[in-house]
């Protein structure tokens, strides 16, 4: 046995059946999803109009204080906003560290380009400073936040992170769809995964397929496939479960998760994190910025 094969084999034995289906031999998008889909998201979607109300300094939602502190944001540098889109009367409370790479209008715009029922699986949206871009989702049953670390100015990254929340919350049972029998069977039926990142875990593949299915919802076909149809079982599984309830434009925001309560926005250095479930940091190659939002 080659060393690589032996390692993979040992890995498969160690993690058991649910994960034994990755890595798959083929990837449909060798350069990742951004070069294929981001231009289409930019031209094919628009955020509804929204208002921005900045909170007075000194308070921030509990979940924001926790994550910003952990992200090396200096105490007192949290900037908090209510973003109210005209398709939902309750605001999303978004938090930035003062030195975050994304502006509040970039955050509101990228988030707003998703259908309102898909936005509704997210509680707080946060942004911090970092070189490059990585992102993660906090998916515990009492959570629901997405965190953009660095200049994550492509729609595919926003859809990917929201996809992790959809995975965790979409069925309303607290059980991740990506590790359900339906999705793992579909993955097994298929001959490819979306891209190399999707090949790292079923939940990363699910998140990448959320990106693909959003493009499918907008354009009605799947662009630039290396192996046409090779991930159709997964796509069908995801869309059967979630297309009408989350992925089409229109819908309502009746299933929102309430924001966490405001607390004093001061913290000690080296704060430890609560023991909740985080997915990521997700890393993305070849991000293609299609535009800048001017405000
Ligand atoms: C933000 O929204 C919350 C919930 O709707 C509201 O209670 C609060 O007064 C708003 N704050 C600002 C600054 O608009
Ligand atoms: C897997 O493929 C079989 C045979 O085509 C099909 O009947 C079944 O529905 C597929 N399962 C999933 C979950 O896609
Ligand atoms: Zn991810």
């Amino acid at each position: 046995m080659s060393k690589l094969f032996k390692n993979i084999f040992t890995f498969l034995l160690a993690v058991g059946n649910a994960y034994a289906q990755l890595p798959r031999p083929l990837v449909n998008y060798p350069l990742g999803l951004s070069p294929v889909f981001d231009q289409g998201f930019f031209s094919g979607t628009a955020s509804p109009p929204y208002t921005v109300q900045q909170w007075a300094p000194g308070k921030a939602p509990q979940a924001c204080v926790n994550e910003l502190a952990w992200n090396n944001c200096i105490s007192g540098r949290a900037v908090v906003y209510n973003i109210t889109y005209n398709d939902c009367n309750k605001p999303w409370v978004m938090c930035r560290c003062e030195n975050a790479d994304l502006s509040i209008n970039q955050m509101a715009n990228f988030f707003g380009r998703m259908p309102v029922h898909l936005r509704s699986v997210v509680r707080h949206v946060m942004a911090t400073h970092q070189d490059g871009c990585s992102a993660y989702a906090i998916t515990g049953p009492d959570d629901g936040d997405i965190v953009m670390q660095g200049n994550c100015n492509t729609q595919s990254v926003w859809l990917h992170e929201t996809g992790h929340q959809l995975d965790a919350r979409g069925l309303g049972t607290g059980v991740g769809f990506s590790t359900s029998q339906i999705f793992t069977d579909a993955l097994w039926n298929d001959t490819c995964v979306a891209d190399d990142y999707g090949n790292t875990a079923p939940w990363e593949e699910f998140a990448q397929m959320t990106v693909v299915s959003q493009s499918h919802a907008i354009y009605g076909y799947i662009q630039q496939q290396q192996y046409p149809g090779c991930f159709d079982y997964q796509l069908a599984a995801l869309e059967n479960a979630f297309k009408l309830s989350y992925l089409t434009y229109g819908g309502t925001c009746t299933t929102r998760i309430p924001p966490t309560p405001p607390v004093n926005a001061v913290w000690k250095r080296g704060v430890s994190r609560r023991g909740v479930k985080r997915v990521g940091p997700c890393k993305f190659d070849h991000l293609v910025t299609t535009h800048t939002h001017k405000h």
Side-chain angles (χ1 to χ4, degrees):
M1 267 198 286
S2 77
K3 189 160 178 246
L4 177 64
F5 184 77
K6 213 183 262 170
N7 285 344
I8 291 172
F9 189 70
T10 312
F11 174 72
L12 294 184
L13 284 181
V15 295
N17 201 35
Y19 310 91
Q21 299 164 359
L22 295 176
R24 304 309 305 277
L26 299 181
V27 301
N28 217 4
Y29 297 111
L31 291 181
L33 304 187
S34 180
V36 178
F37 295 109
D38 273 319
Q39 180 60 45
F41 289 136
F42 177 56
S43 51
T45 64
S47 173
Y50 56 85
T51 60
V52 180
Q53 289 162 303
Q54 187 172 338
W55 289 24
K59 298 276 184 195
Q62 175 68 64
C64 291
V65 167
N66 188 64
E67 288 309 305
L68 292 181
W70 189 85
N71 273 280
N72 298 317
C73 185
I74 296 169
S75 181
R77 300 282 170 85
V79 195
V80 185
Y81 303 87
N82 283 1
I83 304 297
T84 311
Y85 298 95
N86 78 351
D87 58 8
C88 184
N89 58 17
K90 278 176 282 175
W92 272 267
V93 184
M94 300 193 183
C95 307
R96 298 176 63 247
C97 190
E98 207 172 61
N99 67 347
D101 301 86
L102 295 173
S103 70
I104 187 59
N105 277 307
Q106 284 178 302
M107 295 167 72
N109 192 298
F110 282 116
F111 192 67
R113 284 168 179 265
M114 295 187 281
V116 66
H117 41 191
L118 185 55
R119 268 180 270 147
S120 298
V121 298
V122 174
R123 184 178 60 185
H124 294 297
V125 177
M126 301 178 214
T128 66
H129 168 66
Q130 184 188 273
D131 291 336
C133 159
S134 61
Y136 63 96
I138 311 166
T139 58
D142 297 326
D143 300 296
D145 310 323
I146 58 174
V147 183
M148 299 291 157
Q149 300 170 296
N151 194 16
C152 299
N153 59 353
T154 57
Q155 194 69 34
S156 56
V157 172
W158 286 75
L159 281 164
H160 175 102
E161 294 310 320
T162 304
H164 285 312
Q165 297 299 357
L166 178 63
D167 184 12
R169 290 165 199 285
L171 293 177
T173 59
V175 175
F177 186 74
S178 64
T179 53
S180 71
Q181 197 71 47
I182 290 179
F183 192 73
T184 48
D185 282 356
L187 191 52
W188 187 239
N189 269 358
D190 280 333
T191 55
C192 75
V193 291
D195 69 347
D196 288 331
Y197 197 57
N199 233 349
T200 60
W203 45 93
E204 298 303 346
E205 175 64 1
F206 176 90
Q208 294 299 57
M209 290 306 293
T210 305
V211 179
V212 172
S213 67
Q214 185 71 119
S215 176
H216 195 203
I218 297 165
Y219 289 102
Y221 70 104
I222 308 294
Q223 281 112 320
Q224 296 175 40
Q225 302 186 72
Q226 294 289 305
Y227 307 100
C230 69
F231 55 34
D232 280 4
Y233 282 109
Q234 292 167 72
L235 190 64
L238 191 161
E239 291 182 349
N240 284 340
F242 298 131
K243 183 176 175 181
L244 290 180
S245 42
Y246 294 102
L247 298 168
T248 50
Y249 280 81
T252 63
C253 65
T254 53
T255 57
R256 292 281 307 278
I257 316 162
T260 52
V263 297
N264 289 331
V266 290
W267 52 79
K268 295 197 176 72
R269 283 177 71 86
V271 70
S272 63
R273 296 173 120 181
R274 289 174 303 146
V276 296
K277 187 173 178 193
R278 290 178 179 77
V279 183
C282 311
K283 315 257 187 201
F284 306 92
D285 293 330
H286 309 292
L287 289 182
V288 177
T289 305
T290 47
H291 58 288
T292 50
H293 299 295
K294 296 202 181 74
H295 285 279

